[in-house]
């Protein structure tokens, strides 16, 4: 991590908590979001009968939809 990044983070009040590389299990929030998006994409993909080469588009569509659904933790606003 560069000193410039540390300086910007410190000035913004962001605490950086580095972790070992290739250990996604240390970030439970990101892992849960990955699972949620993959489950949505898998459901859409299964129903659409598209070829496997379109898997990336299914993930993009799931992310697009997820960002536009109201969220109770944000007072029924969308993350978008």
């Amino acid at each position: 991590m560069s000193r410039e990044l540390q300086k910007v983070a410190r000035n913004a009040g962001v605490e950086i908590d580095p972790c070992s590389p290739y250990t996604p299990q240390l970030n439970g929030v990101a892992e849960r979001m990955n699972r949620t998006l993959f489950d949505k994409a898998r459901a859409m993909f299964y129903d659409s009968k598209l070829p496997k080469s379109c898997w990336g588009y299914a993930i993009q569509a799931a992310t697009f939809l997820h960002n536009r659904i109201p969220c109770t933790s944000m007072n029924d606003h969308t993350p978008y």
Side-chain angles (χ1 to χ4, degrees), residues 21-35:
Y22 308 108
T23 54
Q25 61 272 19
L26 294 179
N27 191 345
V29 175
E31 284 299 301
R32 180 63 186 150
M33 181 56 64
N34 285 343
R35 181 177 176 140

Side-chain angles (χ1 to χ4, degrees), residues 6 15 22 35 45 57 60:
Q6 291 175 352
E15 181 180 332
Y22 308 108
R35 181 177 176 140
F45 200 70
Y57 294 116
Q60 287 178 332

